[in-house]
Amino acid sequence: MPSPHASTVTAKPTLQQVMELAQNLRKQARWQEAAALYERLTAALACSADNTLRAAVHHNHAVCLFALRQYPAAAAQAITAYELNDSLWQSGVIEINALKQQGLNELYVARAVALYERHALHAEVALAAANATMNYLGDAAGARRMLAPFTQHPTQGREVRMLMLMSRLYDRDEGDTPQQITLDIFALAKADLTLSQAEIDEASDIDMTQFDLPQKAGRRVGVLCPMLSASPVHAFCFETFRRLHQEGIELVFIRRGKTDDWATEQFRSIASAWVEAADMGPAALHVLLTRLELDELYEMGGWMDTAGLRAVSVKPCPRMVKWVGGQSCTTGLPGFDAFISDPVQSPLETAHLYSEPLLLQPASYVSYQPPPYLAHLKGAARKGTGRWGVISNPLKLSRAFLAWLNTLGQQADAQLQPHGKAQPAYVDQLVLADQRYANPLVRQRVESVLRPAWGERLQFEVPKGHVAFIETLTSLDGLIDTFPYSCGLTMAEALYVGLDVYFPPVERTLFCERHGWAHVINHHAQAND
């Protein structure tokens, strides 16, 4: 008979039991615990001949590591999973998303394109590759072609429809009008942006104590933004927010991004409260906004942050205003009380292109404030070089714009008539400058159209850092505005260093089509006051 004091021996769990436990932990989003078990499993299965099983374990380990933001390790596990089972395209998607999070853009794009070439029939792969194609290779039309088969996909359809619609702002198909794009935005906002009450109810248990909010003492204004850093939001809007702070307004910044720099510190210096919300989903973000006791909310992410738009689709505070930040066009949402613009940027006859009431400022809707480290470059542009530049995200180089540049390059003595100037200017060289041109895949699309006409007169420059970018501007005679999507902050910076500007003769109707034009007209109006 065994002694009553004998220790109980617990049977060692089987491999199957460990796998089931790891799976349950993963489903409960207990990522750290699940990752530890998957690490044990990968070691236990290292010599197994069952590559399908090993691949599944490495894949699930990658899922956990990605959720823990351990991106290099997640990418490594995903690569191993895909090497063991090349039908496991889901691992490929994790890898490219992990590369993107690390800022390894060239490798991210290459892997996304390669994955699409092998697994183009899967919506998740097409969506990942289309994002890379549009936002890093600058090919909006190419991204749209990738996504066309998946507009009604049961799980990815919403994201597909949103990306396809935004792509049309940058590169249009024949017959695609501003009016039609606007109507499609209205329809998409109603169908895909509006939060349901069920979604809100499910997220309603949010713990507000984690945000360390001060007791409300006066008027409280929220700023919902992914770009609380050196960005158009800082360059165009910081001084307005600083004045509100000086007037005693409580400013609550709800940050949807993660970049920290000198401009972030300036925003922090005027904040009554600072809320990190980069990883919050739409419903949870909505609940947060409703509980911040805001009197007014400035939405400054727009179409750059569609999850943020979903969060405000059901009005979270008494007054809601759309201002700079993803302000390419209307949100299509009915809950906004104002869309801040001006009579040049948004003439009253374009009011039907906005779901929001236009709040037109008497002068410019923004006031450009250069960072102090650019003071020595004010008015520094050197004239008479014969160098004209297209200085913008390659995404703005639409097929129509490239065709126009091609025609210009075929002229023996190419000339442009700068805005407001009496004499034409000769274009001896065409300079395309952006750090993305370091990627040969980005240059390839542009060169295939322009190199035959421009030859060696076509030059690419890849400035590193903001100062180098502005110094590139000063080496030019002028800036050629893009279409249909116009230059924004770049135009303000070009005016600051004293560049001439040329606007190709096209119709400009939507907000994003009039950026550059409005900055130039308002700049000269202020200079003449």
Side-chain angles (χ1 to χ4, degrees):
M1 182 174 181
S3 167
H5 301 291
S7 60
T8 302
V9 178
T10 304
K12 184 177 180 180
T14 66
L15 197 65
Q16 183 62 36
Q17 288 172 327
V18 175
M19 292 181 68
E20 290 175 356
L21 177 58
Q23 183 178 9
N24 288 333
L25 290 171
R26 180 170 57 84
K27 289 181 177 179
Q28 297 172 49
R30 294 165 64 178
W31 305 115
Q32 194 72 55
E33 297 166 87
L37 289 183
Y38 282 121
E39 187 171 5
R40 284 174 52 189
L41 287 166
T42 56
L45 293 169
C47 297
S48 171
D50 189 344
N51 284 350
T52 300
L53 177 60
R54 290 177 61 201
V57 170
H58 281 286
H59 172 79
N60 288 330
H61 195 186
V63 170
C64 298
L65 293 170
F66 189 90
L68 292 167
R69 302 183 189 176
Q70 297 178 24
Y71 300 122
Q77 290 294 323
I79 290 170
T80 301
Y82 189 69
E83 288 174 345
L84 290 168
N85 180 4
D86 62 7
S87 67
L88 197 60
W89 54 264
Q90 296 91 334
S91 294
V93 172
I94 291 177
E95 181 206 350
I96 62 177
N97 285 333
L99 293 172
K100 180 181 179 181
Q101 290 292 335
Q102 295 175 76
L104 302 173
N105 294 336
E106 192 163 336
L107 182 58
Y108 152 66
V109 170
R111 296 291 285 177
V113 171
L115 190 68
Y116 176 77
E117 289 174 350
R118 294 201 62 182
H119 302 285
L121 297 180
H122 297 282
E124 294 89 336
V125 174
L127 190 57
N131 266 301
T133 297
M134 179 166 161
N135 296 313
Y136 290 87
L137 296 183
D139 186 358
R144 196 157 60 245
R145 287 192 296 272
M146 290 177 169
L147 295 175
F150 304 107
T151 57
Q152 300 305 314
H153 192 273
T155 61
Q156 306 300 315
R158 174 189 289 143
E159 294 301 320
V160 166
R161 291 188 290 271
M162 287 182 185
L163 187 60
M164 288 189 71
L165 185 51
M166 288 302 100
S167 76
R168 292 161 60 194
L169 296 176
Y170 293 93
D171 198 331
R172 314 267 168 83
D173 290 325
E174 188 174 355
D176 201 2
T177 65
Q179 178 68 42
Q180 187 59 56
I181 289 175
T182 302
L183 291 174
D184 291 345
I185 289 172
F186 288 170
L188 181 139
K190 184 177 181 180
D192 291 328
L193 285 185
T194 306
L195 279 177
S196 68
Q197 189 58 49
E199 290 175 292
I200 295 171
D201 291 343
E202 188 176 347
S204 62
D205 60 350
I206 186 170
D207 177 15
M208 293 298 294
T209 61
Q210 63 181 301
F211 299 113
D212 192 28
L213 293 170
Q215 186 71 29
K216 185 177 179 181
R219 182 169 178 78
R220 179 174 284 183
V221 172
V223 180
L224 178 65
C225 183
M227 295 184 292
L228 296 174
S229 55
S231 67
V233 171
H234 184 274
F236 288 144
C237 308
F238 179 75
E239 289 303 315
T240 296
F241 288 129
R242 178 154 59 185
R243 286 196 296 272
L244 292 178
H245 170 70
Q246 292 171 343
E247 293 169 6
I249 302 295
E250 293 182 20
L251 293 177
V252 179
F253 290 95
I254 305 103
R255 182 162 75 152
R256 295 283 292 158
K258 298 179 182 179
T259 301
D260 280 303
D261 57 22
W262 62 271
T264 308
E265 291 309 306
Q266 288 198 349
F267 281 118
R268 286 185 186 275
S269 72
I270 61 173
S272 298
W274 187 273
V275 178
E276 297 288 357
D279 297 322
M280 295 187 80
L285 181 59
H286 171 81
V287 173
L288 168 67
L289 293 172
T290 62
R291 296 183 184 176
L292 287 177
E293 299 183 79
L294 302 175
D295 298 293
E296 186 173 34
L297 175 67
Y298 282 80
E299 198 290 322
M300 307 189 77
W303 291 101
M304 293 181 62
D305 180 15
T306 54
L309 284 184
R310 292 200 73 217
V312 301
S313 62
V314 179
K315 198 170 184 178
C317 66
R319 179 173 168 79
M320 195 163 68
V321 177
K322 182 75 199 83
W323 199 20
V324 175
Q327 200 173 16
S328 50
C329 54
T330 180
T331 65
L333 295 170
F336 282 92
D337 297 279
F339 187 110
I340 297 178
S341 190
D342 63 60
V344 178
Q345 176 67 66
S346 303
L348 283 177
E349 58 267 26
T350 66
H352 65 287
L353 299 175
Y354 300 84
S355 61
E356 311 85 353
L358 290 177
L359 178 59
L360 301 184
Q361 305 302 299
S364 176
Y365 73 104
V366 292
S367 177
Y368 172 62
Q369 296 292 327
Y373 56 77
L374 295 184
H376 67 292
L377 293 174
K378 183 176 183 179
R382 297 188 292 274
K383 302 297 176 64
T385 65
R387 288 160 52 86
W388 278 73
V390 178
I391 316 296
S392 64
N393 185 335
L395 179 57
K396 296 182 180 181
L397 276 65
S398 66
R399 291 167 297 174
F401 179 66
L402 287 174
W404 180 86
L405 285 176
N406 180 61
T407 300
L408 179 68
Q410 292 175 17
Q411 299 176 15
D413 293 308
Q415 296 183 54
L416 298 173
Q417 185 68 50
H419 179 81
K421 301 292 183 179
Q423 299 297 322
Y426 284 95
V427 183
D428 297 325
Q429 296 175 348
L430 179 64
V431 180
L432 306 183
D434 188 275
Q435 61 182 359
R436 297 170 185 84
Y437 288 123
N439 187 340
L441 292 176
V442 179
R443 297 195 304 272
Q444 186 178 76
R445 179 179 72 94
V446 175
E447 283 196 277
S448 65
V449 178
L450 298 184
R451 185 65 73 187
W454 287 89
E456 295 306 311
R457 295 177 299 153
L458 175 66
Q459 298 184 355
F460 291 93
E461 296 196 10
V462 187
K464 295 183 179 180
H466 194 211
V467 172
F469 177 78
I470 303 303
E471 287 175 342
T472 299
L473 290 182
T474 67
S475 72
L476 306 173
D477 279 2
L479 178 70
I480 301 173
D481 193 28
T482 50
F483 67 82
Y485 207 115
S486 177
C487 294
L489 176 58
T490 300
M491 184 63 74
E493 293 170 332
L495 293 170
Y496 178 73
V497 301
L499 286 185
D500 290 337
V501 180
Y502 179 79
F503 293 100
V506 296
E507 181 181 356
R508 299 173 184 271
T509 307
L510 292 176
F511 194 93
C512 61
E513 297 172 331
R514 298 180 66 83
H515 280 152
W517 176 260
H519 288 327
V520 169
I521 299 300
N522 288 324
H523 172 83
H524 289 300
Q526 292 168 9
N528 293 329
D529 283 346

